[in-house]
PDB file of all heavy atoms in Angstrom:
ATOM      1  N   HIS S 107      63.385 158.367 301.932  1.00  0.00           N
ATOM      2  CA  HIS S 107      63.631 159.470 302.895  1.00  0.00           C
ATOM      3  C   HIS S 107      63.492 160.839 302.255  1.00  0.00           C
ATOM      4  O   HIS S 107      63.678 160.967 301.137  1.00  0.00           O
ATOM      5  CB  HIS S 107      65.031 159.247 303.613  1.00  0.00           C
ATOM      6  CG  HIS S 107      66.206 159.461 302.656  1.00  0.00           C
ATOM      7  ND1 HIS S 107      66.835 160.613 302.430  1.00  0.00           N
ATOM      8  CD2 HIS S 107      66.847 158.533 301.847  1.00  0.00           C
ATOM      9  CE1 HIS S 107      67.870 160.445 301.631  1.00  0.00           C
ATOM     10  NE2 HIS S 107      67.857 159.224 301.219  1.00  0.00           N
ATOM     11  N   ASP S 109      64.852 163.725 303.967  1.00  0.00           N
ATOM     12  CA  ASP S 109      65.862 164.571 304.306  1.00  0.00           C
ATOM     13  C   ASP S 109      66.950 164.582 303.226  1.00  0.00           C
ATOM     14  O   ASP S 109      66.992 163.539 302.400  1.00  0.00           O
ATOM     15  CB  ASP S 109      66.475 164.199 305.684  1.00  0.00           C
ATOM     16  CG  ASP S 109      67.089 162.836 305.706  1.00  0.00           C
ATOM     17  OD1 ASP S 109      66.528 161.930 305.070  1.00  0.00           O
ATOM     18  OD2 ASP S 109      68.210 162.638 306.230  1.00  0.00           O
ATOM     19  N   ASP S 266      67.841 163.148 295.883  1.00  0.00           N
ATOM     20  CA  ASP S 266      68.110 162.178 296.899  1.00  0.00           C
ATOM     21  C   ASP S 266      67.489 162.546 298.284  1.00  0.00           C
ATOM     22  O   ASP S 266      68.067 163.407 298.904  1.00  0.00           O
ATOM     23  CB  ASP S 266      69.572 161.891 297.048  1.00  0.00           C
ATOM     24  CG  ASP S 266      69.987 160.906 298.136  1.00  0.00           C
ATOM     25  OD1 ASP S 266      69.059 160.293 298.704  1.00  0.00           O
ATOM     26  OD2 ASP S 266      71.210 160.808 298.468  1.00  0.00           O
ATOM     27  N   ASP S 267      66.323 162.152 298.642  1.00  0.00           N
ATOM     28  CA  ASP S 267      65.671 161.001 298.046  1.00  0.00           C
ATOM     29  C   ASP S 267      64.233 161.381 297.825  1.00  0.00           C
ATOM     30  O   ASP S 267      63.321 160.501 297.809  1.00  0.00           O
ATOM     31  CB  ASP S 267      65.818 159.791 298.952  1.00  0.00           C
ATOM     32  CG  ASP S 267      65.213 158.492 298.314  1.00  0.00           C
ATOM     33  OD1 ASP S 267      65.336 158.454 297.034  1.00  0.00           O
ATOM     34  OD2 ASP S 267      64.590 157.700 299.029  1.00  0.00           O
ATOM     35  N   GLU S 296      67.930 159.902 307.201  1.00  0.00           N
ATOM     36  CA  GLU S 296      68.639 158.852 306.528  1.00  0.00           C
ATOM     37  C   GLU S 296      70.052 159.282 306.249  1.00  0.00           C
ATOM     38  O   GLU S 296      70.989 158.441 306.342  1.00  0.00           O
ATOM     39  CB  GLU S 296      67.937 158.434 305.256  1.00  0.00           C
ATOM     40  CG  GLU S 296      68.398 157.128 304.567  1.00  0.00           C
ATOM     41  CD  GLU S 296      69.700 157.183 303.788  1.00  0.00           C
ATOM     42  OE1 GLU S 296      70.048 158.317 303.377  1.00  0.00           O
ATOM     43  OE2 GLU S 296      70.362 156.196 303.688  1.00  0.00           O
ATOM     44  N   GLU S 297      70.243 160.486 305.909  1.00  0.00           N
ATOM     45  CA  GLU S 297      71.551 160.987 305.551  1.00  0.00           C
ATOM     46  C   GLU S 297      72.565 161.010 306.806  1.00  0.00           C
ATOM     47  O   GLU S 297      73.715 161.190 306.552  1.00  0.00           O
ATOM     48  CB  GLU S 297      71.474 162.390 304.981  1.00  0.00           C
ATOM     49  CG  GLU S 297      70.658 162.438 303.609  1.00  0.00           C
ATOM     50  CD  GLU S 297      71.378 161.704 302.523  1.00  0.00           C
ATOM     51  OE1 GLU S 297      72.424 161.100 302.655  1.00  0.00           O
ATOM     52  OE2 GLU S 297      70.757 161.644 301.427  1.00  0.00           O
ATOM     53  N   ALA S 338      62.988 152.463 298.809  1.00  0.00           N
ATOM     54  CA  ALA S 338      63.094 153.255 297.571  1.00  0.00           C
ATOM     55  C   ALA S 338      64.106 154.352 297.827  1.00  0.00           C
ATOM     56  O   ALA S 338      63.830 155.337 298.481  1.00  0.00           O
ATOM     57  CB  ALA S 338      61.734 153.824 297.221  1.00  0.00           C
ATOM     58  N   ASP S 339      65.297 154.179 297.328  1.00  0.00           N
ATOM     59  CA  ASP S 339      66.330 155.174 297.409  1.00  0.00           C
ATOM     60  C   ASP S 339      67.163 155.261 296.173  1.00  0.00           C
ATOM     61  O   ASP S 339      67.201 154.294 295.389  1.00  0.00           O
ATOM     62  CB  ASP S 339      67.339 154.850 298.661  1.00  0.00           C
ATOM     63  CG  ASP S 339      67.988 156.082 299.191  1.00  0.00           C
ATOM     64  OD1 ASP S 339      67.917 157.204 298.510  1.00  0.00           O
ATOM     65  OD2 ASP S 339      68.565 155.917 300.301  1.00  0.00           O
ATOM     66  N   VAL S 340      67.700 156.450 295.893  1.00  0.00           N
ATOM     67  CA  VAL S 340      68.424 156.674 294.687  1.00  0.00           C
ATOM     68  C   VAL S 340      69.702 155.799 294.661  1.00  0.00           C
ATOM     69  O   VAL S 340      70.233 155.404 295.657  1.00  0.00           O
ATOM     70  CB  VAL S 340      68.784 158.140 294.539  1.00  0.00           C
ATOM     71  CG1 VAL S 340      67.637 159.021 294.350  1.00  0.00           C
ATOM     72  CG2 VAL S 340      69.703 158.602 295.657  1.00  0.00           C
ATOM     73  N   GLY S 414      74.888 153.055 302.252  1.00  0.00           N
ATOM     74  CA  GLY S 414      73.747 152.256 302.719  1.00  0.00           C
ATOM     75  C   GLY S 414      72.490 153.086 302.636  1.00  0.00           C
ATOM     76  O   GLY S 414      72.417 154.232 302.224  1.00  0.00           O
ATOM     77  N   THR S 415      71.381 152.366 302.959  1.00  0.00           N
ATOM     78  CA  THR S 415      70.073 153.015 302.873  1.00  0.00           C
ATOM     79  C   THR S 415      69.240 152.510 304.118  1.00  0.00           C
ATOM     80  O   THR S 415      69.791 151.986 304.998  1.00  0.00           O
ATOM     81  CB  THR S 415      69.279 152.500 301.609  1.00  0.00           C
ATOM     82  OG1 THR S 415      69.084 151.121 301.751  1.00  0.00           O
ATOM     83  CG2 THR S 415      70.049 152.783 300.339  1.00  0.00           C
ATOM     84  N   MET S 437      75.237 162.816 292.848  1.00  0.00           N
ATOM     85  CA  MET S 437      74.518 162.616 294.057  1.00  0.00           C
ATOM     86  C   MET S 437      75.095 163.455 295.168  1.00  0.00           C
ATOM     87  O   MET S 437      76.326 163.513 295.272  1.00  0.00           O
ATOM     88  CB  MET S 437      74.483 161.195 294.405  1.00  0.00           C
ATOM     89  CG  MET S 437      73.450 160.821 295.472  1.00  0.00           C
ATOM     90  SD  MET S 437      73.672 159.115 296.225  1.00  0.00           S
ATOM     91  CE  MET S 437      73.321 158.120 294.744  1.00  0.00           C
ATOM     92  N   HIS S 438      74.249 164.003 295.973  1.00  0.00           N
ATOM     93  CA  HIS S 438      74.709 164.845 297.225  1.00  0.00           C
ATOM     94  C   HIS S 438      75.265 166.157 296.850  1.00  0.00           C
ATOM     95  O   HIS S 438      75.670 166.905 297.744  1.00  0.00           O
ATOM     96  CB  HIS S 438      75.627 164.044 298.113  1.00  0.00           C
ATOM     97  CG  HIS S 438      74.947 163.006 298.988  1.00  0.00           C
ATOM     98  ND1 HIS S 438      75.472 162.633 300.130  1.00  0.00           N
ATOM     99  CD2 HIS S 438      73.795 162.374 298.806  1.00  0.00           C
ATOM    100  CE1 HIS S 438      74.638 161.782 300.760  1.00  0.00           C
ATOM    101  NE2 HIS S 438      73.650 161.525 299.827  1.00  0.00           N
TER     102      HIS S 438
HETATM  103 MN1  LIG R   1      69.283 158.395 299.754  1.00  0.00          MN
END
Side-chain angles (χ1 to χ4, degrees):
H107 65 93
D109 62 319
D266 177 10
D267 186 33
E296 196 278 339
E297 296 296 356
D339 204 347
V340 297
T415 65
M437 194 194 293
H438 282 207

